[in-house]
Amino acid sequence: MELSVMFFGADAPGGSAARHSEAYDDILTVARTADRLGFHAIWTPERHFQQVGQVFPSPPVLSAALAVATERINIRAGSVILPLHHPLRIAEDWAVVDNLSHGRIGLSAATGWHSADFVLAPDHYEGRRERTLRDIPLLRRLWAGEAAEFTDGTGAEVTVLPQPRPVQHTLPLWLTTSGNPATWEAAGGLRTGVLGATVGQSREELAEKIGRYRAACAAAPEQGGTDAHGRVTLMAHTFVGADDEEARRLTAAPLKRYLQSYVRQTTANRTADRATAELTEEQTALLAEFAFHRYLTWGSLLGSAESCRKMLADLRELGCDEVACFVDFGLGRDEMLAGLHRLAELREDVA
């Protein structure tokens, strides 16, 4: 099982240019450290217009910086919101990053979920899931060097081939899921990897979804993606402390703030159900408190080296191929780096 580092967009209340500049410095520092310590990959998200993740509007731009700041670690988007972008634009942007990194990139495709994101492509919101599943095979063909027909500015059909050519002939692809079993099955049917999360799901629920994914992947034809086994990557909030008490003391406040920010982002979504949209600040705080304590019981890597070793072993037994360790939920740079060094010491135990 591989260990990777994931950025997911820490809360940045009152974000300013100075704070954002400091956040990019943190990202580059963590990326260089993860590269030096031998982690498998570094993942960055796509976020728009929200309090959560203000410094992540463009995965290919940030990934280009990561590509030249590192030497061996894989550079991945977790995720690219496919319905917001033309497949040609994705193929061209990421081919640049693949060249800059000498063939180290990978993408997880997401359907998108927040209505505000789609000011960038308002006509694509309604059918975003169908569009994503349809565009994945097209994106693979464009990446592999196949020309395709599109409508130009005059309304005529023209055949185009994206440039530059990437280093990797096959594009490493995942499909991001928030937990819907149908998405796990769709990823298997497309022979992509699947990028899921431990938070909000029990071990039994994840085991059932991984089983569905493996079965769909085994039954699917070869499509220039993963093999018949597939690849399961699970995100988990991570901080390896000197002991359990330190880890929980240092992570409690920032993680609860992060969870509250996520709930507020959900309530701002135009498609949020009425009960969620009407949550008060007090109810949101109670929900975050409950989620934090539940998360400590299973699914997180928040604790001592021994506690995290046991959780990693459990995730491997569950069928996880890679853990994307979510580190930027509000900890300071020094704490993130200290936790990363302790986590690196566990890599051999789960290899």
Side-chain angles (χ1 to χ4, degrees):
M1 186 172 71
E2 305 283 1
L3 292 185
S4 299
V5 174
M6 169 165 276
F7 288 91
F8 211 62
D11 183 9
S16 64
R19 286 182 61 113
H20 292 158
S21 179
E22 183 180 341
Y24 290 124
D25 288 341
D26 288 347
I27 292 166
L28 290 169
T29 299
V30 170
R32 293 186 184 106
T33 302
D35 188 36
R36 188 172 64 252
L37 291 174
F39 283 90
H40 181 65
I42 187 158
W43 297 80
T44 56
E46 179 176 355
R47 303 285 195 190
H48 297 286
F49 319 125
Q50 299 293 331
Q51 185 171 330
V52 176
Q54 295 173 355
V55 297
F56 297 105
S58 180
V61 172
L62 181 55
S63 293
L66 294 172
V68 297
T70 59
E71 295 180 357
R72 49 149 301 279
I73 197 166
N74 291 298
I75 310 295
R76 296 188 184 148
S79 308
V80 170
I81 304 174
L82 238 60
L84 293 184
H85 310 285
H86 196 291
L88 282 169
R89 181 82 268 177
I90 295 172
E92 290 191 331
D93 284 350
W94 284 97
V96 172
V97 185
D98 202 46
N99 278 278
L100 288 170
S101 67
H102 304 289
R104 290 187 280 138
I105 71 104
L107 312 181
S108 190
T111 62
W113 66 283
H114 204 287
S115 55
D117 292 354
F118 283 81
V119 300
L120 298 172
D123 295 339
H124 294 179
Y125 184 66
E126 189 66 29
R128 60 194 182 279
R129 176 181 170 81
E130 295 76 14
R131 182 179 292 270
T132 299
L133 299 180
R134 182 197 69 199
D135 281 352
I136 285 175
L138 172 60
L139 182 57
R140 278 174 163 158
R141 293 195 300 273
L142 293 170
W143 187 270
E146 295 183 27
E149 282 195 351
F150 296 93
T151 305
D152 73 4
T154 68
E157 291 295 310
V158 295
T159 300
V160 295
L161 178 66
Q163 299 291 350
R165 301 306 310 136
V167 174
Q168 299 177 94
H169 180 73
T170 300
L171 174 62
L173 271 175
W174 284 252
L175 186 60
T176 303
T177 173
S178 59
N180 184 347
T183 307
W184 287 79
E185 291 182 350
L190 287 165
R191 283 275 182 98
T192 69
V194 63
L195 178 62
T198 57
V199 67
Q201 301 184 80
S202 69
R203 189 185 193 281
E204 293 72 23
E205 289 169 335
L206 269 173
E208 192 269 338
K209 291 167 186 174
I210 291 173
R212 286 187 182 216
Y213 168 70
R214 300 285 190 214
C217 206
E222 169 57 36
Q223 297 165 72
T226 63
D227 57 23
H229 178 72
R231 184 172 182 86
V232 173
T233 302
L234 294 177
M235 299 178 277
H237 290 73
T238 301
F239 175 70
V240 184
D243 52 43
D244 286 331
E245 192 282 329
E246 181 198 61
R248 295 177 184 188
R249 174 174 54 83
L250 292 176
T251 61
L255 184 51
K256 289 174 193 176
R257 281 198 302 271
Y258 182 86
L259 293 169
Q260 289 181 61
S261 296
Y262 182 80
V263 172
R264 284 193 289 270
Q265 184 180 8
T266 302
T267 62
N269 194 350
R270 294 293 184 184
T271 59
D273 62 75
R274 183 173 178 180
T276 300
E278 293 179 352
L279 285 172
T280 65
E281 282 297 312
E282 182 180 5
Q283 290 170 326
T284 299
L286 287 172
L287 190 61
E289 182 78 25
F290 173 79
F292 172 70
H293 288 287
R294 181 182 177 187
Y295 199 25
L296 289 176
T297 64
W298 189 85
S300 73
L301 295 171
L302 304 172
S304 66
E306 184 57 31
S307 294
C308 293
R309 183 180 290 109
K310 291 177 181 177
M311 179 53 61
L312 287 168
D314 194 31
L315 291 173
R316 180 176 57 189
E317 182 180 338
L318 187 64
C320 178
D321 300 297
E322 176 186 355
V323 179
C325 301
F326 174 13
V327 298
D328 70 324
F329 51 88
L331 295 171
R333 182 192 297 188
D334 290 344
E335 292 160 343
M336 281 193 288
L337 293 175
L340 205 61
H341 277 86
R342 296 187 190 104
L343 181 63
E345 295 174 4
L346 303 179
R347 286 176 49 249
E348 291 185 7
D349 298 339
V350 297

